[in-house]
Amino acid sequence: MKGTVHYEKKDDIALLTIDNPPVNPLSSGVRQGLHDGVNQALGDDDIQAVVITGAGRAFIAGADISEFGGDSKGPGLHEVLAKMEGSAKPIVAAINGTAFGGGLEVALCCDYRVAAPKAPVGLPEVKLGLLPGAGGTQRLPRLIGAEKALQFILSGDPIPAPQAQKLGIVDEVASGDIVEDAIAFALAKVAAGSPTRKIRDEESKVAADRGNAELFANARKDSARRMRGRFAPEMIIQCVEAAVNLQDFDAGMKVEQTCFAQCLNHPQREALIHMFFSEREVTKIPGVPRDTPVKDIKSAGVVGCGTMGGGITMCFANAGVPVKVLEMNQEALDKGLGVIKRNYDIQASRGRMTSEQVDGRMALISGTTSYEDLADADIVIEAVYENLDVKVEVFKKLESVCKPGAIIASNTSGLDIDAMANATSRPGDVIGLHFFSPANIMRLLEVVRGSKTDKTTIATSMQLGKTLGKVAVLSGNAPGFIGNRMLAGYTRQAGEIILQGATPYQVDKVIQEFGMPMGPFQMNDLVGLDLGWRARKLAGMKQEDVPITARVADKLCELERFGQKTNRGFYIYPEGSRAGQADPEVVKLVEETSAELGITRREIGDEEVLQRCLYALINEGARILEEGIALRPCDIDIVYTNGYGFPDVTGGPMFWADKQGLDKIHEGILKFRDEYGDFWTPAPLLERLAKEGKTFASLQD
Ligand code: 3H9
């Protein structure tokens, strides 16, 4: 059995310490230990009260997620909680650190809760496609009322102990040693003769909410907006409704158990738990062990203060790291710094930060027009125009000014890191750090290792990702890295499909219904159609050499329809709106283009649209895996869900492919090859796995 609970007698108190490193989930041994410990305390006449705490940094991180879907040993959590709740001796939770999910539910089964000031408490189950299934949906409304309970459970976000005390979740925030304070608290309750307090018996808060249908209607409206397509939120709302309306606690618990089982068996739960473990897996890099020394990043430099450079600068300031940003001249610098300030002001106006915080962040940012001023930075990231020659020049300059040992990074979205590294005499210090726009918001950071990048540079960059609040994924150095290389096939398919008969609006609708925030043409409008068009013009590309999938976009650009920035692109955007409207003129333009190319248009079903877009991603993903550009399938899943809007409830493209069945995908690809040609040659890895009846996940076993 995994995990244990230590039993100690401290005068009249039984102290139970949960020990299941590193974060004390409720694995079988912990459940057994709690059950036995409470039993022992109840049977010992000398014991007046029980205190439960956790060893190490957590109180309890929740149920053991790795046990879901498998057989679990020992007593069930409900049995343990029933034992605790039936105790005539008071039980006090000494919340020393993280109390999440089932961990907080254990605490809610205690009579009282004392917490360390920095301990976070939360019910994050919704993020795993679950609901608090150990009484949380029934006890929390009884403690703090249905409205606040719904907000807390539906957000899944943790709050610090002092805030939890204000809400009424925690009774006392410890001022000294958490265990000593909790023991003193327990003894005081015993001395006062009011030892126990069972939340299940508290009625007043839920009684006050009874008949308030608006409360639940609002919760439904809000969760439909914020968590479109998610299964668990509605289940949560039904449970809290039961807590309010059923009056009988045990009847409410039955509703919770039924809803929990539905969540547990739902494919979204499996996918989201895959996301949870994948996010941790991507931090593990073969050949770069956890104890690899990392450099201390106390200051940073950024070259370029455009959209990307400005966003990266904000990332450092947000993490409290002083950052110097370089522009070619004062005018460009003032403009870039002005945009940064405006972005912070907007956040402040929306109540997301205070004006003092804005000042604090701006104080960490300084501007320069001189490379020499970057000499002290521990890391410098270039974010200049996406052109290899320009970037190589920047690297030569950086090499001459950066202090020895400083990391020199490029924010390129797909160019050759080795070409930049080889322009310096210290390629070991060079790495790609591909941020995604808007860099201060998007969570993904592709860390691109060159052939000579040293381990310390890799380990430091992965650590830096964490410091900046990103999820960092290591990629090999090949054109487009992981994300953009896969995207190329997807956008190509979207472009072909509209020439063969679909409209851009049909394609976008299908992709949005799958769960992406926007379809490929909405994405094109957002990014700007003119980027590719201008690059092609600059390169002097002849009309006949323009890829056919870019022809419609180029025609739109000739009409000065560059996308959202001109209120017209594939869509029409009424002034001040980002919601595009379909335009029959665009459909006409697409039809004309098909005719010019000699393509006979036909009706293309939604299923084919979806399959072609997604199978193209997956097939390329398989090649990327085989070439070792991505370390594991889960690395691709994390890249796509965090950087490209692939819905996390599907688990990412490779996990989704496994669930569809690789044989089905392989078969579909072969069919498309027959119809549309060699683009659809199956990746050898995909073909092999499909023939062997295996999954991408089997590569990680
Ligand atoms: C639940 O409670 C359901 C109940 O309502 C109903 C039951 C009937 N289980 O994140 P870290 C592992 S659902 C198993 O790197 P940090 C993690 O995989 C649960 N393992 O550390 C990693 O392993 P490895 C609700 C877990 O300090 C190691 O611990 N609870 C669990 O950055 C270290 O984790 C949650 O959703 C777990 N519950 O963050 C909380 N938690 O080293 C999920 C962690 O092999 N956990 N591990 O890669 C977290 O949010 C963070 O892990 C936490 C620590 C904040 C606790």
Side-chain angles (χ1 to χ4, degrees):
M1 280 206 257
K2 204 172 139 216
T4 187
V5 176
H6 305 292
Y7 187 100
E8 267 174 277
K9 245 171 123 169
K10 292 218 164 197
D11 303 325
D12 297 346
I13 301 289
L15 175 65
L16 309 190
T17 306
I18 296 158
D19 190 358
N20 190 16
V23 290
N24 301 329
L26 290 158
S27 318
S28 49
V30 173
R31 295 194 304 272
Q32 186 73 60
L34 278 175
H35 185 272
D36 295 350
V38 172
N39 232 0
Q40 189 177 339
L42 292 182
D44 184 340
D45 291 341
D46 294 343
I47 294 295
Q48 304 266 17
V50 180
V51 169
I52 300 178
T53 194
R57 65 185 196 256
F59 172 65
I60 304 171
D64 185 336
I65 304 170
S66 62
E67 282 185 357
F68 290 150
D71 293 335
S72 67
K73 298 189 200 105
L77 188 53
H78 285 279
E79 200 184 320
V80 177
L81 296 185
K83 164 108 349 217
M84 287 170 61
E85 208 165 38
S87 162
K89 298 178 182 179
I91 304 183
V92 177
I95 303 176
N96 54 304
T98 308
F100 281 2
L104 181 55
E105 291 173 294
V106 167
L108 291 175
C109 243
C110 296
D111 299 278
Y112 305 99
R113 286 151 295 281
V114 178
K118 289 201 172 139
V121 304
L123 292 172
E125 286 90 340
V126 70
K127 298 184 180 181
L128 300 174
L130 284 169
L131 55 84
T137 66
Q138 304 304 301
R139 291 194 182 90
L140 196 62
R142 283 177 163 77
L143 196 58
I144 66 173
E147 189 174 6
K148 287 179 185 151
L150 274 171
Q151 281 167 4
F152 190 71
I153 301 173
L154 285 170
S155 85
D157 292 332
I159 54 173
Q163 204 179 325
Q165 187 186 24
K166 274 194 201 127
L167 261 181
I169 298 177
V170 160
D171 298 292
E172 189 176 286
V173 175
S175 49
D177 178 83
I178 174 68
V179 172
E180 281 172 19
D181 280 13
I183 290 177
F185 185 98
L187 289 173
K189 285 291 169 194
V190 172
S194 54
T196 61
R197 179 199 179 201
K198 307 297 173 194
I199 295 177
R200 60 175 287 143
D201 299 332
E202 307 267 321
E203 252 295 297
S204 60
K205 290 260 167 46
V206 280
D209 288 326
R210 218 156 276 150
N212 186 350
E214 201 187 336
L215 196 158
F216 296 101
N218 287 342
R220 286 197 166 88
K221 213 160 71 195
D222 189 52
S223 75
R225 189 176 50 81
R226 286 191 312 110
M227 291 177 276
R228 183 171 71 101
R230 294 216 169 207
F231 181 74
E234 172 57 29
M235 293 289 99
I236 289 170
I237 295 169
Q238 285 183 21
C239 290
V240 177
E241 253 175 338
V244 168
N245 294 331
L246 290 186
Q247 301 193 27
D248 173 36
F249 179 82
D250 292 321
M253 285 296 284
K254 279 205 182 104
V255 173
E256 186 189 88
Q257 278 176 42
T258 308
C259 291
F260 184 78
Q262 287 193 52
C263 290
L264 198 62
N265 294 325
H266 198 281
Q268 289 189 0
R269 190 276 303 166
E270 202 187 343
L272 288 167
I273 286 182
H274 165 71
M275 289 280 96
F276 176 84
F277 283 119
S278 298
E279 226 177 84
R280 279 140 190 94
E281 194 65 19
V282 297
T283 62
K284 297 167 192 162
I285 300 171
V288 184
R290 281 214 187 277
D291 56 0
T292 304
V294 293
K295 292 175 180 167
D296 211 4
I297 303 292
K298 291 208 193 94
S299 64
V302 176
V303 180
C305 198
T307 309
M308 286 314 295
I312 296 169
T313 302
M314 289 174 79
C315 288
F316 281 103
N318 293 348
V321 180
V323 52
K324 203 166 273 176
V325 57
L326 178 139
E327 257 299 350
M328 286 195 296
N329 56 53
Q330 196 60 42
E331 198 188 339
L333 185 61
D334 291 344
K335 190 173 161 210
L337 291 173
V339 172
I340 292 177
K341 175 73 167 56
R342 246 192 330 278
N343 282 339
Y344 279 134
D345 286 340
I346 290 170
Q347 287 184 29
S349 72
R350 291 183 181 155
R352 295 203 189 119
M353 57 199 294
T354 62
S355 54
E356 289 77 36
Q357 281 171 322
V358 174
D359 294 343
R361 309 264 163 108
M362 286 309 291
L364 288 168
I365 300 172
S366 56
T368 180
T369 53
S370 160
Y371 271 88
E372 278 70 34
D373 286 341
L374 301 178
D376 291 335
D378 296 314
I379 183 168
V380 179
I381 304 175
E382 72 74 21
V384 302
Y385 183 62
E386 189 73 352
N387 172 296
L388 188 58
D389 296 336
V390 176
K391 289 191 187 274
V392 164
E393 281 315 305
V394 170
F395 266 75
K396 283 184 186 156
K397 285 191 193 134
L398 288 175
E399 126 105 328
S400 68
V401 296
C402 288
K403 68 181 180 190
I407 292 179
I408 311 181
S410 169
N411 177 51
T412 175
S413 57
L415 298 175
D416 184 4
I417 296 298
D418 285 337
M420 296 174 229
N422 292 336
T424 74
S425 60
R426 38 175 139 159
D429 297 336
V430 173
I431 197 155
L433 292 179
H434 179 204
F435 290 76
F436 286 69
S437 185
N440 53 314
I441 309 267
M442 295 291 285
R443 275 191 85 215
L444 180 63
L445 179 67
E446 261 183 329
V447 174
V448 188
R449 121 197 256 170
S451 57
K452 295 178 191 151
T453 307
D454 69 32
K455 286 181 190 177
T456 299
T457 306
I458 294 172
T460 307
S461 299
M462 298 299 288
Q463 174 64 42
L464 176 68
K466 204 166 181 186
T467 308
L468 300 184
K470 307 284 177 202
V471 47
V473 178
L474 190 73
S475 168
N477 178 34
F481 312 138
I482 298 173
N484 282 343
R485 173 161 160 194
M486 284 169 69
L487 188 69
Y490 164 87
T491 37
R492 174 177 158 159
Q493 280 312 301
E496 277 185 18
I497 291 167
I498 62 167
L499 292 174
Q500 291 162 348
T503 67
Y505 314 118
Q506 182 193 351
V507 175
D508 283 349
K509 182 181 99 355
V510 169
I511 295 297
Q512 273 196 309
E513 279 172 3
F514 179 71
M516 308 246 207
M518 61 183 89
F521 299 100
Q522 289 159 323
M523 169 79 99
N524 282 347
D525 272 2
L526 178 73
V527 174
L529 304 178
D530 54 324
L531 298 185
W533 175 67
R534 281 184 215 286
R536 283 187 280 279
K537 275 192 170 266
L538 217 68
M541 195 183 274
K542 289 196 216 111
Q543 165 72 18
E544 58 269 29
D545 294 334
V546 172
I548 60 166
T549 50
R551 300 277 173 96
V552 176
D554 277 13
K555 282 185 181 171
L556 289 169
C557 288
E558 299 293 346
L559 299 168
E560 296 193 355
R561 298 177 66 137
F562 297 151
Q564 284 195 16
K565 61 176 97 162
T566 53
N567 293 338
R568 271 160 186 269
F570 280 100
Y571 291 79
I572 295 179
Y573 301 87
E575 196 58 50
S577 165
R578 285 188 187 175
Q581 294 170 355
D583 181 1
E585 289 300 315
V586 171
V587 177
K588 229 165 85 193
L589 196 81
V590 174
E591 287 167 354
E592 282 165 18
T593 313
S594 305
E596 279 162 29
L597 292 164
I599 300 172
T600 310
R601 293 177 69 78
R602 63 177 173 88
E603 198 161 305
I604 298 185
D606 288 354
E607 196 181 347
E608 179 177 332
V609 171
L610 186 68
Q611 286 183 347
R612 283 173 64 183
C613 290
L614 299 194
Y615 289 7
L617 273 182
I618 292 155
N619 204 28
E620 197 59 31
R623 289 202 182 91
I624 285 173
L625 273 177
E626 196 154 37
E627 290 169 24
I629 302 304
L631 287 170
R632 294 149 292 223
C634 71
D635 292 62
I636 297 179
D637 289 333
I638 291 294
V639 164
Y640 253 77
T641 47
N642 287 280
Y644 295 83
F646 203 92
D648 55 1
V649 289
T650 66
M654 308 317 267
F655 185 84
W656 182 82
D658 279 350
K659 294 293 150 192
Q660 298 294 303
L662 295 189
D663 51 346
K664 177 182 165 201
I665 291 182
H666 180 243
E667 207 176 286
I669 287 176
L670 292 180
K671 192 171 127 260
F672 293 145
R673 184 176 62 181
D674 290 345
E675 284 177 52
Y676 306 115
D678 285 350
F679 169 84
W680 286 106
T681 302
L685 175 67
L686 173 66
E687 187 153 78
R688 176 170 67 76
L689 291 173
K691 285 188 177 154
E692 291 172 0
K694 289 189 176 159
T695 57
F696 287 123
S698 69
L699 301 170
Q700 281 180 245
D701 289 344

